[in-house]
Amino acid sequence: MANQKELLPFVSAMIVARNESAYIEKSLNSLINQTYPKNRYEILIIDGNSNDNTVEIAKNTIRSYCEYNGKRSINIKFLENPKQILAAGWNIGIKNSNGKYVVRIDAHSFVPSDYISKCVAVMLKVKDAVCVGGVINSDTIGEKGKAVSYVLSSPFGIGNSKFRYSQKAEYVDTVAFGLYRKDIFEKVGYFDENLQRNQDIDLHAKIRAMGGKFYLDPKIKLTYFSRNTTKSMIKQGYQNGKWNAILFKKNPKSLSIRHIVPLLFVLGIIGCILLGLVSSFLWYVLFIVLVLHLILGVVFALQKTKKFSYILTMPIMFMLLHISYGAGTLISLIAVDGN
């Protein structure tokens, strides 16, 4: 009888990186130290011409593991990503992978040692799923960006993205850093390399349109290192909103209500300010709406922390995130329509 381990499907795990010297060691180590049998998975590191020591750190990490484990070898390949963008890197990894399943994690993330094992177990159990994933815990290196990580992991901050907070195993509209059936890419195509952001939203919409299903199991967990300053959070929010508009122009069905709400919020603010010149009553309406937003910010902040300074600042951060996101969408829509 064949060894049970030999019957497990072969998995390709990918990290796409560029100038990630601060994070690559932790991210790569988390894949190297998986409980999944070493001969049943490979690791692909796709580097976008890093000009820091990302690749050197990755190679030293591999060397340290092999030396510590009696020169035990691990199946790792380095690939080049000359376009230096995520979508291109993911596509290079998928096309050069040997696995029946492919899973990608961000260089800004790390996974527990049972991540691949749990993903495969769920995939083999939920046979009609084309992609399975778990729940992301947002964190930061050090205390500096804790409030930002709380905002970006709150339903009030990022909407109903169930991979941020769900405690229920269920079919969902999308998962993050999931395990995919590799053959799905042959059916629907690969990540759109013309999109600098939201490539996964676009691809997942195509998969759903073909009847593909996504499944989330909260027993599968991973940690993502979010932006660690309010300024970088605002910048990221603006860019995400901007690319939502571009994606909407390409495929309106790819976006859900959570992607549109910040735009409606910003339009409401602008509308109340302008129409308030005609009727000052609308300025009072705007004031009430903003106060209610801040109150909700306090409520959701209390769900994350009891630290007084965070409870004071997080409501403002929620508002700044929503305004920057909505402004990015609005400005991009105007720019697109102007072409």
Side-chain angles (χ1 to χ4, degrees), residues 88-315:
W90 295 333
N91 290 342
I92 290 169
I94 294 166
K95 292 174 182 178
N96 286 275
S97 64
N98 295 310
K100 179 178 180 180
Y101 302 105
V102 295
V103 61
R104 67 175 184 85
I105 69 169
D106 220 21
H108 273 251
S109 65
F110 69 93
V111 294
S113 61
D114 59 0
Y115 190 76
I116 293 179
S117 294
K118 284 186 175 179
C119 283
V120 170
V122 172
M123 181 68 83
L124 295 178
K125 178 181 177 182
V126 186
K127 298 186 181 300
D128 60 345
V130 299
C131 182
V132 302
V135 175
I136 293 177
N137 169 50
S138 292
D139 202 352
T140 56
I141 294 179
E143 190 66 22
K144 182 179 179 181
K146 278 292 184 184
V148 175
S149 70
Y150 290 151
V151 167
L152 294 177
S153 61
S154 168
F156 187 54
I158 43 76
N160 65 337
S161 299
K162 292 188 176 181
F163 59 79
R164 296 280 189 180
Y165 62 86
S166 179
Q167 297 301 312
K168 177 184 177 183
E170 59 184 323
Y171 293 99
V172 292
D173 63 345
T174 189
V175 297
F177 307 123
L179 178 82
Y180 299 82
R181 297 181 183 274
K182 184 180 175 181
D183 59 9
I184 192 64
F185 299 102
E186 298 173 2
K187 297 175 182 177
V188 304
Y190 294 83
F191 291 96
D192 187 342
E193 297 180 13
N194 292 314
L195 296 174
Q196 293 182 23
R197 290 177 184 262
N198 297 350
Q199 309 94 333
D200 51 346
I201 296 175
D202 174 60
L203 180 67
H204 290 184
K206 294 176 183 176
I207 292 174
R208 291 194 306 272
M210 289 190 62
K213 295 181 179 181
F214 295 83
Y215 193 83
L216 182 146
D217 191 323
K219 293 179 181 178
I220 301 170
K221 300 182 185 300
L222 73 153
T223 299
Y224 177 82
F225 291 118
S226 61
R227 301 299 189 272
N228 62 356
T229 66
T230 301
K231 181 179 179 181
S232 59
M233 179 194 74
I234 292 171
K235 182 178 179 181
Q236 182 187 37
Y238 179 86
Q239 290 296 325
N240 286 339
K242 169 187 173 182
W243 282 94
N244 273 352
I246 295 171
L247 184 56
F248 179 80
K249 190 74 173 180
K250 177 176 181 284
N251 180 10
K253 293 182 179 180
S254 62
L255 300 182
S256 63
I257 187 64
R258 68 173 177 267
H259 300 114
I260 307 300
V261 169
L263 170 63
L264 299 178
F265 182 55
V266 168
L267 288 173
I269 292 174
I270 295 173
C272 284
I273 291 174
L274 295 178
L275 294 176
L277 297 172
V278 178
S279 173
S280 60
F281 172 75
L282 289 171
W283 289 343
Y284 292 105
V285 172
L286 175 59
F287 176 76
I288 292 171
V289 169
L290 294 179
V291 169
L292 287 174
H293 191 287
L294 291 172
I295 291 173
L296 284 171
V298 171
V299 172
F300 281 92
L302 285 168
Q303 294 180 1
K304 288 291 183 179
T305 180
K306 297 297 185 283
K307 190 170 182 177
F308 186 67
S309 61
Y310 291 171
I311 295 170
L312 286 179
T313 57
M314 283 177 61

Side-chain angles (χ1 to χ4, degrees), residues 25 28-29 32-33 43 45 53-76 78:
E25 181 177 3
L28 178 55
N29 262 325
I32 290 175
N33 291 291
I43 300 172
I45 302 172
N53 55 348
T54 295
V55 174
E56 181 181 350
I57 291 174
K59 290 181 177 179
N60 286 338
T61 301
I62 298 166
R63 189 178 302 113
S64 296
Y65 171 84
C66 294
E67 290 176 354
Y68 184 78
N69 289 274
K71 300 195 180 298
R72 180 182 181 183
S73 63
I74 46 179
N75 192 357
I76 297 183
F78 284 85

Side-chain angles (χ1 to χ4, degrees), residues 16-44:
V16 177
R18 173 172 164 76
N19 296 338
E20 297 289 0
S21 58
Y23 300 95
I24 189 65
E25 181 177 3
K26 192 173 186 67
S27 180
L28 178 55
N29 262 325
S30 73
L31 287 182
I32 290 175
N33 291 291
Q34 290 292 297
T35 58
Y36 204 69
K38 288 288 183 290
N39 66 334
R40 302 307 299 157
Y41 78 100
E42 64 179 352
I43 300 172
L44 287 74

